[in-house]
Amino acid sequence: METLNVALVSDWYYPKLGGVAVHMHDLAVHLRERGHDVSILTNNGETGKEEELREAGIELVKVPGKVLPRAYLNVSVFAQGYRSLFPLVKGYDVVHGHHAFTPLSLKAVAAAREMGSGAIITTHSINYENSNVLKVLSKLSYPYYKHYLRYPHRIIAVSAAARDFIKGLTKVPVRVVPNGIDMKRFDIPVEKEDAKKLLNLKGKVVLYVGRLEPRKGVGILINAMKHVDATLLVVGKGSMLPILRNKVRLMGISNRVKFLGPIGYSILPLYYRASDVFVLPSLSEAFGIVLLEAMASGTPVVGTRVGGIPEIIEKCGLLVPPRNVNELAKAINFVLEETKVSEKLGRMGKERVKRLYDWKVVVRSIEDVYKDVLYEVSMDG
């Protein structure tokens, strides 16, 4: 494919933690490795990725404006017409927004369409937003979203569940292209028992990685641990942390639940490798990149039957109903006790990630969308 000048745009790049930031950053790196010129356009503030992007040859453009704390939404851009972004998106072949319900991505894509560039948006969600405050604001802004979701040439959905949701808001063609991960980052040459020794872990280990927010269902997982003879490692931070700590204390299982806080990517693969089972107990989830990380590590996974989770772990993991403590405990115990089944699930998960979700595969699918859009632009011109 010819070299393209691509802008990846979102309010939700770092320092906001989450799947959108991870996906956007990794996509930028892999597009750059394939020879494209890439810029990341995001809110004005420290991202923590400045040096890494500079070394990779990726331009970081910080968009002025007042940013809503915690929500990381650029309210100045929200209040302005999309034409105010013409100078920012000028000169790009493709402007690719990330998250269909944030002002910077929506308006940058609208501006790009008006200026004759390829306009694409990736939707990473299966509802407006999972924070209660943002959910209310989002529903009030329903006409705003419907208006701006007319502008993209194409919409990419990270899962069939995300596609089905966005189709209720727009007639723009939608293509499912999943999130990707680097197999080589997580497929480390360390045996499970050696990883446990390095991390000073003993016995069976259950792992959760993600934000500690209500929709992630971590409280359900902690309730299930009352019936599981293993240590639960909780990696991540969020508003639920004090509540979850108190729950563990009241349940009398403080010796078996460890809150580790955020862990950097340099050591996180070791935790995946050391774990006997990874659990994502979400109540709502468009995708779940952490499932891919665990599967790439050869660790068997248990997830809830919500959103995009069943698509990811189909036939290579265990699915349980959300909010069901007994079923969750039963699935975890089954994986911990049935060694042969556990090993088979681990092998199947790793193979599935390699075949469908490695960035080497995913980036080519995204390039195909770019190619289709640019052909359409050339025909319109």
Side-chain angles (χ1 to χ4, degrees):
M1 188 176 182
E2 64 180 280
T3 299
L4 299 177
N5 193 3
V6 180
L8 305 180
V9 190
S10 186
D11 294 78
W12 284 5
Y13 185 61
Y14 295 102
K16 179 174 170 57
L17 299 176
V20 177
V22 172
H23 176 91
M24 191 170 154
H25 181 84
D26 287 352
L27 174 58
V29 170
H30 284 85
L31 287 170
R32 185 73 191 110
E33 286 177 354
R34 289 182 60 77
H36 301 295
D37 296 320
V38 185
S39 301
I40 288 176
L41 279 61
T42 191
N43 292 327
N44 190 19
E46 286 298 311
T47 68
K49 296 290 183 179
E50 281 79 3
E51 185 59 32
E52 184 180 342
L53 294 174
R54 192 159 40 245
E55 289 176 1
I58 298 167
E59 184 181 12
L60 179 60
V61 179
K62 297 183 179 183
V63 181
K66 180 175 176 55
V67 177
L68 201 62
R70 296 184 66 183
Y72 292 92
L73 298 176
N74 194 317
V75 291
S76 300
V77 169
F78 183 88
Q80 297 166 359
Y82 65 81
R83 289 178 176 81
S84 65
L85 296 181
F86 279 179
L88 279 171
V89 302
K90 184 179 180 181
Y92 292 106
D93 299 307
V94 171
V95 174
H96 184 174
H98 288 268
H99 202 299
F101 305 108
T102 53
L104 185 54
S105 53
L106 284 171
K107 292 196 173 179
V109 166
R113 179 72 181 254
E114 287 290 296
M115 297 188 78
S117 299
I120 297 161
I121 201 155
T122 291
T123 181
H124 294 260
S125 58
I126 54 173
N127 49 29
Y128 294 107
E129 189 32 55
N130 299 299
S131 145
N132 287 333
V133 174
L134 289 181
K135 197 177 288 184
V136 171
L137 290 173
S138 295
K139 286 183 177 178
L140 290 174
S141 304
Y142 178 84
Y144 173 89
Y145 294 134
K146 282 203 85 167
H147 173 76
Y148 278 100
L149 286 170
R150 299 178 307 164
Y151 284 98
H153 291 97
R154 294 287 187 284
I155 293 174
I156 294 173
V158 296
S159 64
R163 176 198 63 203
D164 294 345
F165 173 68
I166 203 73
K167 276 191 163 185
L169 295 169
T170 180
K171 293 181 180 177
V172 170
V174 183
R175 177 174 171 182
V176 175
V177 179
N179 284 316
I181 67 161
D182 280 328
M183 277 291 295
K184 62 181 183 293
R185 181 185 287 172
F186 294 94
D187 186 14
I188 59 175
V190 180
E191 294 298 321
K192 187 178 300 294
E193 291 308 315
D194 292 334
K196 286 184 179 180
K197 286 177 185 175
L198 287 168
L199 296 172
N200 197 27
L201 297 171
K202 293 179 174 62
K204 297 291 186 179
V205 176
V206 179
L207 178 66
Y208 167 83
V209 177
R211 295 196 300 278
L212 305 182
E213 303 296 342
R215 77 173 178 95
K216 291 293 187 175
V218 185
I220 308 295
L221 174 55
I222 288 172
N223 286 341
M225 290 304 297
K226 189 77 174 175
H227 312 289
V228 176
D229 184 16
T231 297
L232 170 63
L233 305 180
V234 178
V235 174
K237 64 179 182 179
S239 64
M240 290 286 290
L241 180 57
I243 297 167
L244 296 173
R245 283 189 186 278
N246 194 46
K247 174 191 275 286
V248 166
R249 184 180 59 79
L250 291 174
M251 289 174 62
I253 56 172
S254 298
N255 61 323
R256 296 196 293 111
V257 179
K258 301 180 187 302
F259 294 94
L260 304 180
I263 288 177
Y265 267 112
S266 59
I267 193 170
L268 185 58
L270 200 58
Y271 279 92
Y272 281 117
R273 193 72 191 95
S275 299
D276 296 284
V277 60
F278 176 83
V279 183
L280 187 61
S282 302
L283 312 181
S284 169
E285 194 75 56
F287 192 81
I289 291 177
V290 288
L291 287 167
L292 300 185
E293 295 174 351
M295 290 158 65
S297 306
T299 300
V301 296
V302 173
T304 42
R305 200 174 281 109
V306 298
I309 292 177
E311 299 167 49
I312 297 174
I313 64 176
E314 180 187 11
K315 297 178 182 176
C316 63
L318 299 187
L319 287 165
V320 299
R323 302 181 190 273
N324 193 315
V325 172
N326 290 334
E327 289 296 316
L328 183 57
K330 190 189 299 183
I332 294 169
N333 282 325
F334 180 78
V335 175
L336 294 179
E337 292 164 8
E338 299 293 333
T339 308
K340 288 185 178 178
V341 175
S342 173
E343 289 173 354
K344 183 179 180 181
L345 291 174
R347 286 195 304 271
M348 291 170 64
K350 184 183 286 191
E351 178 54 39
R352 185 171 175 81
V353 172
K354 186 177 181 180
R355 188 174 74 253
L356 299 177
Y357 300 110
D358 190 283
W359 265 115
K360 292 176 183 176
V361 177
V362 173
V363 73
R364 287 179 172 87
S365 296
I366 292 174
E367 284 179 325
D368 287 343
V369 178
Y370 292 174
K371 187 161 58 175
D372 290 347
V373 165
L374 290 174
Y375 178 76
E376 185 176 317
V377 170
S378 69
M379 291 296 98
D380 290 345

